[in-house]
């Protein structure tokens, strides 16, 4: 019991980005899902007698999948499965008791999903901007997203990690669950406040389309060729082959030709397809059904914007205020800062920065004009974004008013998720994975279909 409690406690002290990618991500996107906090509460009610009773009945009814790997004849594999079934002595699990995971089909819109770190000593914040794109069951969507992820991740890392030095944990990748939509996830962990980190991601998004337009076709063809070559590599171990086979079994698609489908799609995909996917799903200026969730994990000591702050002041003001408070260790009045921004439009960027430094002085004010001073470099960027905002308010594609479940909207029109369970209850679910082959019970020989 002590070890289990410690495991639950350790989850609270994981790195912020791991929490967003792991539990927080599943809590928002997957049904059913039981959060660790609830398990921790229930653990106190568990008794030795209850555990013993559970042990005696846990396999009374069961549903299991089994992959037999090795130098076996078909009959031997079937016999192994029968032996497992006989040892468990289980009745078939009723269909209503078997609840495979399903992905929440989040309706178009821009959402904010906020958390506070439970680690009082954690200094880092983390954000993950998740863009919902094509379907995970579509080979062309999967390969196009893989190429888009490959092209964007190096540029993303170079801009936000190498040039802006926002943190050591910076990355972009494509992800999916067993069914539902693919996602492009852009993640940053660092000491800057989450609002500022997301503003920098927005800045990258704003300029990346031109990168795709100008991307060298020779480099693109070489990228495709390298991915195809890797996909066609011969597996070097039984474990690797078993893992490749187990994935479609576990997901319920039984699509053992998935890799071949993706290779065929890769040979057809063009750079224009990648640009089209960017415009259809990720570019807020062109995406018709723009769907995005900004997950944030705030350090316990960070200045956490209130609901009133978020509904009153633009994100650019909140981001700048967070940068100022972090660097100057002075409280920032948002009304005064907003007034400063409104009166600074006639000034040059350098003059506005100098005026800001005069109003919010630091111990060494000469750092203000020093481009190598990372803190003031961030303040300068935050000031530029506040004075020259390029983000337009998000136009909601649905008529849903989430205020009735306690959510509120930012100045930009983004909905802030305040109760994730209530929010999920308003959303539809993606269907279960459908087998792409006809599953035929076979206990005497293997033909074209395998029952695992």
């Amino acid at each position: 019991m002590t070890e289990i409690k410690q495991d639950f406690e350790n989850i609270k002290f994981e790195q912020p980005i791991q929490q967003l990618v792991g539990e927080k991500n599943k809590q928002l996107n997957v049904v059913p899902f039981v959060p660790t906090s609830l398990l921790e509460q229930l653990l106190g009610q568990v008794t030795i007698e209850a555990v013993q009773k559970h042990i005696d009945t846990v396999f009374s009814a069961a549903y299991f999948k089994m992959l037999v790997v090795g130098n076996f004849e078909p009959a031997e594999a079937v016999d192994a499965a029968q032996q497992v079934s006989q040892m468990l002595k289980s009745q078939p699990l009723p269909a209503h008791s078997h609840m495979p995971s399903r992905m929440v089909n989040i309706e178009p819109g821009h959402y904010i999903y906020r958390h506070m770190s439970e680690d009082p000593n954690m200094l880092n914040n983390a954000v993950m901007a998740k863009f919902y794109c094509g379907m995970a069951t579509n080979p062309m969507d999967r390969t196009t997203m893989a190429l888009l992820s490959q092209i964007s991740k190096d540029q993303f890392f170079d801009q936000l990690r190498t040039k802006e030095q926002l943190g050591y944990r910076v990355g972009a990748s494509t992800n999916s669950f067993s069914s539902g939509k693919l996602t492009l996830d852009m993640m940053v962990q660092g000491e800057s406040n989450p609002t500022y980190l997301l503003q920098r991601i927005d800045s990258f998004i704003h300029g990346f389309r031109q990168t795709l337009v100008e991307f060298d076709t020779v480099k693109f063809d070489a990228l495709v060729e390298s991915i195809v070559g890797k996909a066609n590599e011969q597996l070097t171990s039984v474990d690797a082959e078993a893992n490749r086979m187990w994935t479609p079994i576990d997901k319920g698609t039984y699509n053992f030709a998935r890799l071949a489908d993706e290779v065929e799609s890769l040979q057809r995909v063009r750079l224009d397809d990648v640009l089209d996917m960017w415009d259809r799903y990720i570019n807020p200026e062109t995406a018709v059904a723009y769907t995005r969730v900004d997950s944030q994990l705030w350090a316990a000591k960070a200045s956490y914007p209130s609901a009133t702050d978020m509904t009153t002041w633009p994100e650019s003001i909140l981001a700048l205020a967070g940068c100022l408070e972090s660097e100057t260790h002075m409280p920032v009045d948002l009304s005064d800062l907003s007034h400063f921004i409104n009166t600074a439009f006639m000034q040059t960027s350098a003059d506005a920065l100098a005026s800001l430094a005069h109003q919010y002085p630091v111990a060494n004010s000469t750092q203000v004009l020093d481009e190598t001073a990372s803190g003031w470099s961030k303040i300068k960027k935050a000031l530029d974004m506040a004075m020259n905002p390029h983000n337009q308010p998000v136009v909601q594609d649905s008529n849903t008013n989430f205020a009735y479940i306690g959510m509120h909207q930012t100045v930009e029109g983004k909905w802030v998720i305040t109760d994730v369970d209530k929010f999920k209850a308003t959303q539809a679910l993606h269907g279960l994975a459908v087998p792409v082959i006809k599953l035929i019970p076979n206990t005497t020989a293997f033909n074209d279909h395998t029952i695992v």
Side-chain angles (χ1 to χ4, degrees), residues 30 35 54 89 97 111 142 247 342 377 390 392:
V30 177
H54 180 69
K89 298 179 181 179
S97 297
Y111 307 90
R142 292 198 304 268
T247 298
N342 290 334
S377 175
H390 57 70
Q392 299 298 319

Side-chain angles (χ1 to χ4, degrees), residues 246-260:
W246 179 250
T247 298
I249 295 171
D250 184 44
K251 290 186 175 182
T253 63
Y254 297 91
N255 183 10
F256 301 107
R258 175 188 174 105
L259 193 59

Side-chain angles (χ1 to χ4, degrees), residues 22 54 70 87 105 139 146 167 221 244 250 293 310 328:
H54 180 69
M87 285 188 293
N105 186 13
D221 292 340
R244 179 176 290 182
D250 184 44
V293 175
M310 299 182 74
T328 66

Side-chain angles (χ1 to χ4, degrees), residues 59-81:
F59 290 118
S60 59
Y63 172 90
F64 65 92
K65 296 179 180 181
M66 179 175 172
L67 173 63
V68 181
V69 181
N71 189 20
F72 296 100
E73 293 292 331
E76 293 175 311
V78 172
D79 182 59

